[in-house]
Amino acid sequence: MIKNDLFLKALKGETVDRPPVWMMRQAGRYLPEFMEIREQYDFFTRCQTPELASEITVQPIRRFNMDAAILFSDILVIPQAMEIEVQMKPNFGPYLPDPIRKAEDVTRVVVPDINDTLGYVMEAIKMTKEKLNDEIPLIGFAGSPWTILCYCVQGQGSKSFDLAKGFCFTQPEAAHELLQKITDTTIAYLKEKVKAGCDAVQIFDSWGGMLSPIDYQEFSWQYIQQIVDALKGHAPVIVFGKGCWFALNKMAQSGAAALGVDWTCSAQNARYLTGGQITLQGNFDPARLLSPPKDIKKMVRQMIDEFGKDRYIVNLGHGILPNIPLENAKAFVEAVKEYSQ
Ligand code: CP3
């Protein structure tokens, strides 16, 4: 039994005294103790070494006492396991030297055995669960197939992901074959993560909002739906689609336990679009954590009032920025813990 089960209760839609809180990308670059580890080990060494990954996972919890931990890892371990090379270049981000550009490239992409290729993630989960000692739940995650395709085809981050979109629109058959291979790998991966100890999983569709509503259904949503269906009975699934407010209505009928919302969609709109029943998560503008702590606290209270304390998980609308002062991150979490109606 997990002692602080606020997060799991919110996922089930149960009544709570206050909503749970965690922050997307909470284990990261704004923490000085993380920066120390970062100086000693390169990115994928940190992901692949269970001692390091579990330590980084619990660092923000020790400092701020969030109601859930998210495993330190990256969405791009999936293409790596599928035999697509991924490098993490300092001050640049992900770089894939041999991107997918044509049908033959897709043919050579492997749907791997998860334990052979990503066993280190499962070890990190087990070690993290020990460190968490059943105090709070652990979230596992994966990128959406579309978001993974974006990196596999573009070869790096992008403002437009024009090559990724061009690939889908000129070679749809190859694109769908790739998306299906990523989906199959992701389903097996998330099931293993749950077996290893994750209490819930989140799908990050960080680049879903790049697509038009019609293209979103074809190239992103149908694959996320497959993942949600496959995880049924295994663990609650949170779907976070950045810029995907237009799909919230459909998402609300998918069987997902909760939906992430970014800061461009108001609480009222998100509740309206989702029918008022499903748990929502979000949606504080990550840059608003630059405001003075007293303003942050006031805005967090307002946000909870707008979403309502039930069927709600307090979070940012996207990942925390690297330049957020520690006391501001602290104010965000504290405001939720101090909340009473
Ligand atoms: O939430 C957490 O703190 C857990 C760890 C986590 C990382 N990446 C660690 C990381 C999570 C949940 C991710 C997800 C991820 N990775 C996403 C989806 C979420 C989102 O922000 O939209 C995406 C798109 C990626 C791909 C990725 N990884 C990018 C674009 C970058 C470079 C830019 C950046 O944010 O730094 C990474 C590198 C990365 N992943 C870092 C961390 C802590 C920073 C690099 C480093 O520490 O050396």
Side-chain angles (χ1 to χ4, degrees), residues 50-51 54 122-132:
E51 289 79 3
S54 59
M122 310 314 149
E123 290 311 309
I125 291 168
K126 288 175 194 155
M127 206 174 272
T128 306
K129 284 294 283 184
E130 276 175 33
K131 288 187 185 173
L132 290 174

Side-chain angles (χ1 to χ4, degrees), residues 82 84 100-107 109 144-150 152-153 161-184 211 215 217-220 222-223 226:
M82 300 174 81
I84 302 168
I100 303 230
R101 296 288 161 77
K102 43 190 195 310
E104 300 92 270
D105 301 337
V106 177
T107 313
V109 172
S144 74
W146 157 252
T147 291
I148 297 298
L149 176 145
C150 279
C152 291
V153 175
F161 284 101
D162 53 339
L163 296 174
K165 291 172 89 169
F167 178 70
C168 290
F169 302 158
T170 58
Q171 305 177 75
E173 267 185 39
H176 283 297
E177 191 187 330
L178 178 59
L179 288 164
Q180 193 59 54
K181 282 185 171 183
I182 299 168
T183 302
D184 295 345
L211 293 165
D215 289 331
Q217 295 303 323
E218 177 172 356
F219 294 105
S220 189
Q222 61 163 316
Y223 297 98
Q226 285 186 39

Side-chain angles (χ1 to χ4, degrees), residues 24-29 34 38 43 46 70-76 88 93-94 141 151 204 206-207 318:
M24 286 193 273
R25 306 294 296 271
Q26 67 191 17
R29 295 172 298 177
F34 172 79
R38 191 174 187 263
F43 183 72
R46 275 175 271 149
I70 181 160
L71 185 76
F72 178 80
S73 186
D74 201 82
I75 61 169
L76 298 175
M88 194 60 72
F141 67 91
Y151 287 100
F204 284 91
S206 303
W207 306 124
H318 199 193

